[in-house]
Amino acid sequence: MEWHEIRDPKDPELDRLATRHHLHPLHIEDCRHRNQNAKVEESSGYLFAVLKTVEVAADDEVTVKELDMFLGRDFLITVEEPDCAASRSILAQVRAAAAGQRGDQLFYRITDGIVDSYLPVLDHFSEVIDQLEDQVLDRPTSEALSRIFETKRSLILLRRVLVNTRDVAGHLQRTECELIQREMWPFLRDVYDHVARNLDLVEMQRDLLTGSLDIYLSSVANRTNQVMKVLTVLGTIALPALVISSFYGMNVKGLPWIDSPHGMAIVSAVMAVTTVVLLVILRMMRWF
Amino acid sequence: MEWHEIRDPKDPELDRLATRHHLHPLHIEDCRHRNQNAKVEESSGYLFAVLKTVEVAADDEVTVKELDMFLGRDFLITVEEPDCAASRSILAQVRAAAAGQRGDQLFYRITDGIVDSYLPVLDHFSEVIDQLEDQVLDRPTSEALSRIFETKRSLILLRRVLVNTRDVAGHLQRTECELIQREMWPFLRDVYDHVARNLDLVEMQRDLLTGSLDIYLSSVANRTNQVMKVLTVLGTIALPALVISSFYGMNVKGLPWIDSPHGMAIVSAVMAVTTVVLLVILRMMRWF
Amino acid sequence: MEWHEIRDPKDPELDRLATRHHLHPLHIEDCRHRNQNAKVEESSGYLFAVLKTVEVAADDEVTVKELDMFLGRDFLITVEEPDCAASRSILAQVRAAAAGQRGDQLFYRITDGIVDSYLPVLDHFSEVIDQLEDQVLDRPTSEALSRIFETKRSLILLRRVLVNTRDVAGHLQRTECELIQREMWPFLRDVYDHVARNLDLVEMQRDLLTGSLDIYLSSVANRTNQVMKVLTVLGTIALPALVISSFYGMNVKGLPWIDSPHGMAIVSAVMAVTTVVLLVILRMMRWF
Amino acid sequence: MEWHEIRDPKDPELDRLATRHHLHPLHIEDCRHRNQNAKVEESSGYLFAVLKTVEVAADDEVTVKELDMFLGRDFLITVEEPDCAASRSILAQVRAAAAGQRGDQLFYRITDGIVDSYLPVLDHFSEVIDQLEDQVLDRPTSEALSRIFETKRSLILLRRVLVNTRDVAGHLQRTECELIQREMWPFLRDVYDHVARNLDLVEMQRDLLTGSLDIYLSSVANRTNQVMKVLTVLGTIALPALVISSFYGMNVKGLPWIDSPHGMAIVSAVMAVTTVVLLVILRMMRWF
Amino acid sequence: MEWHEIRDPKDPELDRLATRHHLHPLHIEDCRHRNQNAKVEESSGYLFAVLKTVEVAADDEVTVKELDMFLGRDFLITVEEPDCAASRSILAQVRAAAAGQRGDQLFYRITDGIVDSYLPVLDHFSEVIDQLEDQVLDRPTSEALSRIFETKRSLILLRRVLVNTRDVAGHLQRTECELIQREMWPFLRDVYDHVARNLDLVEMQRDLLTGSLDIYLSSVANRTNQVMKVLTVLGTIALPALVISSFYGMNVKGLPWIDSPHGMAIVSAVMAVTTVVLLVILRMMRWF
C-alpha cells in the first residue's frame, strides 16, 4: 500500500504516477483545471474522487478548494491545492495514524475529515444569522442588508458544495466497487448521514436568512409608518395654532376679541381646544 | 425478553451491553454524540432507531431531545437523555403495561407514544398562529413581527424532526426485518399515517405563517397609506387658510376689503370656500 | 348484500358489526377518533375507506366532515358523523337507487356523490376570488385583506382534502382487490379524473388568490404614491405664496413696492409666477 | 375508413354511432358534459381522445373549447363544439387532404393541427408581456396592473391546457396500441416535442410576467421615494424663509437690524444662507 | 468517413444528402424551421442532434443559434445557420484537427466545443450581476432595475438552452447506440458534467439576481424611510419656531413680555427650548 501525496497538481510526479497506474487523461486534466464539482468516478482499476474543502475568511467570505484522490488496489494518490491549510491539516492528521491501514480505510478517513471540517463553517453562519436577525429587527441599516446578501451568497456556494458531496457520499455508500471492502459500508453510510444533516442545516439557514430579509423589509415599512405618524401628530398639533395665529395677524377689521384685554388668553384657549379636538377625532377614527 | 433502560448515555452499562449484544461502535457513538436526525438502521442481529421528543417552553421555544432504541431478538435497550421529561413519561407509561409484551410490541408502543406527543405541540402552534393572524391584521407591531419569526424558526425545526420521523416510520412500515412480526404491520402503518398527517399540518401552519407575514406587510402599507391621507386632508384644510391669512398679514397696499367693517367675515368666507373647493376636487379625482 | 348505515360512530351496533365481520380494531378506532385524512386500506376480507365531505358556511368557512365505509364481500357499512347534512343527502340518494346493486357499485356511487359535492364549493370560491380581485384593484381595504386570508385558509384546507381524496381514487383505480369487479374500473378512473380536475382548479385558485394579494400590495403602494403627489402639488402651490406673504409681513425696512399703490397686485403676481415656475420645473423633471 | 364529423355533441347521430361501435357510455357523457381536461383513453376496440382548442378574444381573454375523437380500426368520429371556429378550420383543412389516408394518419393530422394552433396564441402573449414590461418600467399605472393580472389568469389557463395536452401526446408517443401504426411514432414524438416546447414557452412567459409585477412594485416604490425627496427639498427651501420671516413679523422688541435701512437685504441674505447651508448638510449626509 | 458542412439549411445539397442517406423528412424540416430545442434522436442508421450556440451582444442580449448534426456509420453532416460566428469558429477548429478522426470523435469534439463556448457567456453574466448588486445597494436607480430584468430574461433563455443541452448530453452518455464507440463514453460523461456544472452556475446566478431585486426594493424602502426622517426632523425644528412667531404676530392684547426690551431674546429662548424638548422626546421614544 503506497500513499503518494502530491502537493501541487503541476508536479510532474503526477504524470509519472498517471503513466504507471494507467490513470485516465481526463482525470489528470480534472486535477489540473480544478473547477470541478465534488464527484466520484469508477474507472478500470481505480476510483477517482474530487472533494471540496471550505474555509471562512475574516470577512465571512467562503473559499472553496479542491482535494483529489485516486484509490487503486495498492495505491492511494492525493492531490492538494498548493496553499490549502484545510486539506493540509486533514491529510497530516490521517497520515499520523496511517500505519497498517488499508487504502479504503485511509480514503474513508480523509473523506470523513473533510466532511467534519464543514461543521465549524456551518456553526459560524448559524451565529451570523442569529446576529443579523436581532440586528434587522432592532435597527434595519443598509450595512445589515449588505451583510444578509453576502451571507446568502456564501450559503448558495456552501449548499452547492454540500449537494455534490452528498451525491459523492451516496454513491460511495451504494458502491459495489471491489476496492472498498464491505466492512467499510456502515462507515460510509455514516459519512452520508453526516453530509445530509449538514445540507439540512444549510437549507434551514437559507430559510432563516430569507426570513431576515422579510424582517428587514417589514421593519423598514414599520418605521416609515411610525415616522409618518409622528409627522401627522406634529402637523395636528401645529396647524390649528398656525392657522389661528396667522388669522389674528391679518390687517382686517372685525376680528373677534381683538380689543379685549384677555385677547391672548381667549385665542390661546381656542387654539388648544381645536388641537385637542383634532387629536381626539384622529384617535377615534383609529388613525394612530 | 429483557428491557434495559439506560437513563444517561454516558452510563458504562451501555458499553457492557454493546459488548454483550455486539452493537456497532458507530451506533454507540450516535447515542453519545446526540446530534443525529431521527433514523432507523438494520444491523446484523438488531435494529437501531433514533427518535426525537419535542417540548415547547413557556416562551414558545422548541426543545428537541433524543431517545435511542436497540431492538434485538431477545432484548430492547432504550437510551434517554438525562433530563428529558417527555421520554421519561412515555417510557414509564409503556413500562407499566410491558408485562408479557414482545420486543417489537414495546418498540411500537414507544414509537407511537413519541409520535402522539407531537400533537399537543402542533396544537399549541395552531393557536399561536391564529392569535398572530388576528393581531397583525388589527395592529401590526414589531413584537408581532418578532413573534412570527420565532414561530417560523420553531416550525422549521419541527418540520425537520417530522420529516425524519416520517422516513423512520416509512422504513419500519416496509421493513422485511424478521425482528418485527407481520401482525405489527398495520400498527406501524398507523404510526406512519399519523406522522404524515402531523407533517401535513406543519406544512399548513408554515403556509399560514407566511400568510401572516404578508398580512403584516399589507397592514403596515395600508396604515401608512391612511396616515398619508390624514396628512393630505390636514394640509388641504390648513393651507388655504394659512395662505390667505398670511396674505392679509402683508404690509402692502391695496389688499381688498381691508377697510370694510365686514373684512373678517368676508376673508373667512373666502378661506372656507377655497378649502371646500379643494376637498371637493380631491374627492372628485378619487384621491381619498 | 347488506348495507348497514351507522349514523353515529358511537353506536354499539358498530362494535357488533366489527366482531361479526372481523374488522380491525384500528379501523374502528379511526371511525371514532375522526381526525383522519381521506384514505383507503385493504384488509383481509374487506376494504376500509375514509372519505371527506365539505360544506361552506355563510361566512365562507369550510367545514370538513368524515364518512367511513367498510366494503366486504357481502356487506357494506357506512359510518356518518352525527350532524352531517352532506353525507346524509348523498347516502339517501344512493339508497333510493340501491335495489339490486352490488356492493362495489354502491361504493362507487357514494364515492362519486362525495366527489360531485366538492364542485359547488369550488364554484363558490371561484366567485369569491373574482369579487376579491375586482375589489382590491378598485379599493384595497383591510376587510378585503382579511377576506383574502380567510379564503386562503379555506383553500389550504380544501386542497388537503382533495389531495388525499385523489390518492384514494388513484389507489382504487389501480386496485387489484377482488372486492371490486373489473367492469367498475373505467368508473373509478372517471372519479379519479374528476378529483384531479378539481385539484387542478384549487391550485389555480390558490395561484389567483396569491395574485390578489399582490394586487392589494401594488394598489396600496400606488395609492400612497398618488397621495404623496397630491401633498407635493399642494406644497408646491402653497409654499411660494406662504413664503412671500410672510416675507411681506416682516417689520423691517426696505421691502420693495411696499409703498406702491399696486403693491398687492405686484406681490400677488410674483407669487403666481413663482408657483407656476415651480410646477413647470417639477413637470419637466417628470416628478409628477 | 369512415370519418363521421359530429358538429354538435347533442346530435342523436352520436348515440347511433355509440351503439354501433360499442362506445363506452362514460365517453359519450364526456363529449356532452365538456368540462374535461385534455386526455386520451384506450378502450376495447377504440381510442378516445379529448383535445382543446384555444382562441384569444380582442380583450386578451382566452377561450378554451373541446374537440373529441374516437379512433377505431375502421372509423374516426370527431365531435366538435357548436360554434368553435378553431376546430372547424382545422377539420376542414384535414378533410381537404383526407382522401386515401388511414385513420391514424387523420388522427395525427388533427392533433398536429390543434397543437399548431396554440402558437399564434403564445406569440400574442409574448408581445403583450413585452409591452407590459416597458409600460410598467416607464409609468406604473393601475391599468397596467390590472392587465398583468388578466394576462396571468390567461397564462394559468393556457398552461393547464398545455400540460394536459403534453400528457396526451406523451401517452400517444409511448402507446403500444395497435390502432396506431409504428411508422406514425416519429410523427407523434414530433407533436410531443412541439407541445413540450410550447409549455416551456408558457413557463418562461409566466416567469417574465411575475417579473413585470416586481418591476411594477419597484417602480412605484422608486417614484414614491422621488416624490418624497421633492417634498423634502421643497421643505428645506421654504422652512428657513418661513421661520425667519415669521420671526420678523413678531410684535416684540429687540429684533436685530429692525431699524437698519438695509433690513430687508440683511434678513434676505440670512434666509438664503440658512437654506443653502441646510441643502449642503443634507447633500453631505447623502440624504438626496 | 465523409464530413459534409452545409452552411445554409436552404442549400439543395441537404436534400441530396437526405435522399442518399435516408434521412427522415421530419429531421430535414427541423433543420429548416429552426425553432427547435436542443435534442438528440436515434433514427435507423443515424443519430440526429440539434445543438445551440449562444452569443452575447454588446447590450447584454443573448442570441441563440442552431447547429444540427447527422452522424451516420460513414458520414457526418453539419448544418449551420448562415451568419453564426460561433458555430463557424468551432467547426473550423474541429476541421483543422479532423484528419484521421472517426465520426463519433468529430461529433464529440463539436459538442464539446459548443459546451465550452457557453463558459465566457456565463462569466459575462457573473460580472454583470456583481456590478448590479453593488449598484443597487449603493444607489437604486430605475436603470439598474431595467438592467436586472434584462439580465433575468437572458438567464431564463440561457437556462432553457442549458437544460435541453444537459438532456442531450445525458442521453448521449447513456446511449447504447453502436455509432458511438465505448471508449468515447468517459468523454461524453465529461461533457455532461460540464453542462451540469454550467446549469448549476446559471441557477446560482438566477438566485443572486432575485437577491438583487430584493436589495433594490429594500434599498428604496430604506431611502424613503430616511427621507421621511429628514422631513420629520425639519418639521420638528421649524414648527415650534413658526407657531411661536406667528403667535407673537397676532394683533391681540396681553401677549407676555411684549413690552420687555428683552422680548426678542426671551421669545427666541422659548423657541429653542421647545424645539430641543421636542427633539429629545422623539429620540427618547426611539422615533429616529
Side-chain angles (χ1 to χ4, degrees), chain E residues 34-259:
Chain E
R34 308 220 141 233
N35 59 345
Q36 303 298 313
N37 287 337
K39 68 174 177 182
V40 62
E41 285 181 8
E42 289 171 53
S43 242
S44 54
Y46 69 93
L47 201 79
F48 174 60
V50 178
L51 293 173
K52 296 286 181 179
T53 60
V54 173
E55 284 166 307
V56 198
D59 62 339
D60 282 359
E61 209 172 317
V62 158
T63 319
V64 177
K65 291 197 171 156
E66 212 173 302
L67 176 67
D68 303 320
M69 289 193 278
F70 294 89
L71 172 66
R73 202 173 307 272
D74 53 358
F75 66 93
L76 174 71
I77 304 167
T78 53
V79 189
E80 303 164 51
E81 284 203 47
D83 298 304
C84 177
S87 343
R88 198 76 289 275
S89 101
I90 293 165
L91 289 182
Q93 232 171 308
V94 175
R95 170 64 91 186
Q101 299 261 320
R102 286 193 320 272
D104 58 350
Q105 286 173 321
L106 293 174
F107 182 86
Y108 155 70
R109 276 172 196 283
I110 295 169
T111 308
D112 193 44
I114 286 175
V115 168
D116 276 348
S117 76
Y118 297 156
L119 207 63
V121 177
L122 293 177
D123 285 348
H124 172 78
F125 284 112
S126 282
E127 252 172 69
V128 167
I129 292 168
D130 273 11
Q131 281 170 24
L132 276 172
E133 250 177 43
D134 290 349
Q135 195 183 336
V136 293
L137 203 61
D138 199 50
R139 39 176 29 244
T141 62
S142 71
E143 285 74 43
L145 189 58
S146 153
R147 196 150 180 229
I148 287 176
F149 284 102
E150 276 158 29
T151 308
K152 195 183 170 188
R153 202 176 250 272
S154 297
L155 288 184
I156 287 176
L157 203 61
L158 212 55
R159 189 182 164 274
R160 198 178 155 200
V161 168
L162 282 168
V163 163
N164 289 309
T165 307
R166 186 195 54 186
D167 291 352
V168 167
H171 188 95
L172 286 175
Q173 174 195 342
R174 283 185 316 268
T175 192
E176 296 282 336
C177 170
E178 55 180 12
L179 292 163
I180 292 179
Q181 298 201 3
R182 244 203 101 108
E183 63 162 279
M184 296 311 291
W185 288 13
F187 292 94
L188 290 171
R189 186 164 65 180
D190 197 57
V191 169
Y192 177 83
D193 282 359
H194 202 152
V195 187
R197 222 150 56 228
N198 286 348
L199 193 57
D200 240 45
L201 211 66
V202 169
E203 294 294 356
M204 237 177 94
Q205 288 177 347
R206 274 163 56 105
D207 229 348
L208 289 171
L209 202 64
T210 304
S212 297
L213 188 65
D214 289 334
I215 308 180
Y216 185 91
L217 268 172
S218 309
S219 270
V220 169
N222 212 20
R223 263 145 208 275
T224 303
N225 185 263
Q226 290 198 328
V227 170
M228 295 301 307
K229 281 186 188 162
V230 176
L231 259 181
T232 308
V233 170
L234 279 179
T236 312
I237 293 171
L239 282 179
L242 270 181
V243 168
I244 291 169
S245 57
S246 288
F247 193 81
Y248 274 91
M250 291 194 292
N251 302 320
V252 292
K253 288 187 176 134
L255 292 166
W257 308 299
I258 203 158
D259 298 315

Side-chain angles (χ1 to χ4, degrees), chain C residues 89-109:
Chain C
S89 101
I90 292 164
L91 289 182
Q93 234 170 305
V94 175
R95 169 64 90 186
Q101 299 261 320
R102 288 192 318 273
D104 58 350
Q105 286 172 321
L106 293 174
F107 181 87
Y108 156 70
R109 279 173 194 283

Side-chain angles (χ1 to χ4, degrees), chain D residues 119 129-130 133 137 186-187 189-190 193 197 200-201 204 207-208 210-212 214-215 217-219 221-222 224-225 228-229 231-232 235-236 239 242-243 246-247 249-256 278 282 286-287, chain E residues 24 26 30 35-37 39 41 138 140-142 145-146 149 152-153 156-157 160 206 213 216-217 220 223-224 226-228 230-231 234 238 241-242 245-246 248-251 258-261 263-264 267-268 271:
Chain D
L119 206 63
I129 291 168
D130 273 11
E133 251 177 43
L137 203 60
F187 292 94
R189 186 166 63 179
D190 198 55
D193 281 0
R197 222 151 55 228
D200 240 45
L201 210 67
M204 237 177 93
D207 229 347
L208 289 171
T210 304
S212 297
D214 290 334
I215 309 179
L217 268 172
S218 309
S219 271
N222 212 20
T224 303
N225 184 263
M228 295 303 305
K229 283 185 189 165
L231 259 182
T232 308
T236 312
L239 282 180
L242 270 180
V243 169
S246 288
F247 192 80
M250 289 194 291
N251 304 319
V252 292
K253 288 189 176 131
L255 291 166
L278 213 52
L282 286 190
R286 307 199 59 206
W287 271 340
Chain E
H24 198 288
L26 279 171
D30 281 354
N35 59 345
Q36 303 298 313
N37 287 337
K39 68 174 177 182
E41 285 181 8
D138 199 50
T141 62
S142 71
L145 189 58
S146 153
F149 284 102
K152 195 183 170 188
R153 202 176 250 272
I156 287 176
L157 203 61
R160 198 178 155 200
R206 274 163 56 105
L213 188 65
Y216 185 91
L217 268 172
V220 169
R223 263 145 208 275
T224 303
Q226 290 198 328
V227 170
M228 295 301 307
V230 176
L231 259 181
L234 279 179
L242 270 181
S245 57
S246 288
Y248 274 91
M250 291 194 292
N251 302 320
I258 203 158
D259 298 315
S260 152
M264 201 280 299
V267 169
S268 299
M271 285 176 190

Side-chain angles (χ1 to χ4, degrees), chain D residues 253-264:
Chain D
K253 288 189 176 131
L255 291 166
W257 309 299
I258 204 156
D259 298 313
S260 152
H262 306 298
M264 201 281 299

Side-chain angles (χ1 to χ4, degrees), chain A residues 35-37 41 146 149 153 156 160 213 216 220 223-224 227-228 230 242 245 248 250 258 264 268, chain E residues 130 133 137 189 193 197 200 204 211 214-215 221-222 225 228 232 246-247 250-253 255 287:
Chain A
N35 58 346
Q36 303 297 313
N37 287 338
E41 286 181 7
S146 152
F149 284 102
R153 202 175 250 274
I156 288 176
R160 195 177 157 202
L213 189 65
Y216 186 91
V220 169
R223 262 145 209 274
T224 303
V227 170
M228 295 302 306
V230 176
L242 269 181
S245 57
Y248 274 91
M250 290 193 294
I258 203 158
M264 202 282 298
S268 297
Chain E
D130 273 11
E133 250 177 43
L137 203 61
R189 186 164 65 180
D193 282 359
R197 222 150 56 228
D200 240 45
M204 237 177 94
D214 289 334
I215 308 180
N222 212 20
N225 185 263
M228 295 301 307
T232 308
S246 288
F247 193 81
M250 291 194 292
N251 302 320
V252 292
K253 288 187 176 134
L255 292 166
W287 270 339

Side-chain angles (χ1 to χ4, degrees), chain B residues 6-281:
Chain B
I6 308 286
R7 298 205 183 162
D8 184 341
K10 294 200 202 80
D11 191 338
E13 173 75 7
L14 183 56
D15 298 296
R16 220 183 42 74
L17 287 167
T19 318
R20 189 168 129 207
H21 296 298
H22 310 289
L23 307 180
H24 198 288
L26 279 172
H27 293 157
I28 300 303
E29 205 189 301
D30 282 353
C31 290
R32 287 189 171 141
H33 272 74
R34 307 221 141 232
N35 58 345
Q36 302 299 312
N37 287 339
K39 66 175 178 181
V40 62
E41 285 180 9
E42 288 172 55
S43 241
S44 54
Y46 67 95
L47 201 79
F48 174 59
V50 177
L51 294 173
K52 295 287 180 178
T53 60
V54 173
E55 284 166 308
V56 198
D59 62 340
D60 283 357
E61 211 173 317
V62 157
T63 320
V64 176
K65 289 196 172 158
E66 210 173 301
L67 176 66
D68 305 318
M69 288 193 279
F70 295 88
L71 171 66
R73 200 173 308 271
D74 53 357
F75 65 92
L76 175 72
I77 304 167
T78 54
V79 187
E80 302 164 52
E81 285 203 46
D83 298 302
C84 176
S87 348
R88 198 76 290 276
S89 100
I90 292 163
L91 289 181
Q93 234 169 306
V94 175
R95 170 64 90 188
Q101 299 261 320
R102 286 193 318 273
D104 58 350
Q105 286 173 321
L106 293 175
F107 182 86
Y108 155 70
R109 277 173 196 284
I110 294 169
T111 309
D112 192 45
I114 285 175
V115 168
D116 277 348
S117 76
Y118 297 156
L119 207 64
V121 177
L122 293 177
D123 285 349
H124 171 78
F125 283 112
S126 282
E127 251 172 70
V128 167
I129 291 168
D130 274 11
Q131 280 170 26
L132 275 172
E133 250 177 43
D134 291 350
Q135 196 183 336
V136 291
L137 203 61
D138 199 49
R139 40 178 26 245
T141 61
S142 71
E143 284 74 42
L145 189 59
S146 151
R147 199 155 175 224
I148 287 177
F149 285 101
E150 275 158 28
T151 309
K152 193 180 173 191
R153 204 176 250 272
S154 297
L155 287 184
I156 287 176
L157 204 62
L158 211 55
R159 187 181 166 275
R160 196 176 157 201
V161 168
L162 281 168
V163 163
N164 290 311
T165 307
R166 187 195 53 185
D167 291 350
V168 167
H171 187 97
L172 286 175
Q173 173 194 341
R174 282 186 315 269
T175 191
E176 296 282 335
C177 168
E178 56 181 10
L179 292 163
I180 292 179
Q181 299 202 3
R182 244 202 100 107
E183 64 161 279
M184 295 313 290
W185 287 13
F187 292 94
L188 290 171
R189 187 165 65 180
D190 198 56
V191 169
Y192 178 83
D193 282 0
H194 203 151
V195 186
R197 222 152 53 228
N198 286 349
L199 193 57
D200 240 44
L201 210 68
V202 169
E203 293 294 356
M204 239 176 90
Q205 287 177 349
R206 274 164 56 107
D207 229 347
L208 290 170
L209 201 63
T210 303
S212 298
L213 188 65
D214 290 334
I215 309 179
Y216 185 91
L217 267 172
S218 309
S219 271
V220 168
N222 212 19
R223 262 144 210 275
T224 302
N225 184 264
Q226 291 200 329
V227 170
M228 294 303 306
K229 282 185 188 163
V230 176
L231 258 181
T232 308
V233 171
L234 279 179
T236 312
I237 294 171
L239 282 179
L242 269 181
V243 169
I244 292 169
S245 57
S246 288
F247 193 80
Y248 275 90
M250 289 195 291
N251 302 321
V252 292
K253 290 194 172 126
L255 291 166
W257 310 300
I258 205 159
D259 298 314
S260 152
H262 306 298
M264 202 280 299
I266 295 171
V267 168
S268 297
V270 170
M271 284 176 190
V273 167
T274 319
T275 298
V276 167
V277 166
L278 212 53
L279 285 173
V280 167
I281 288 175

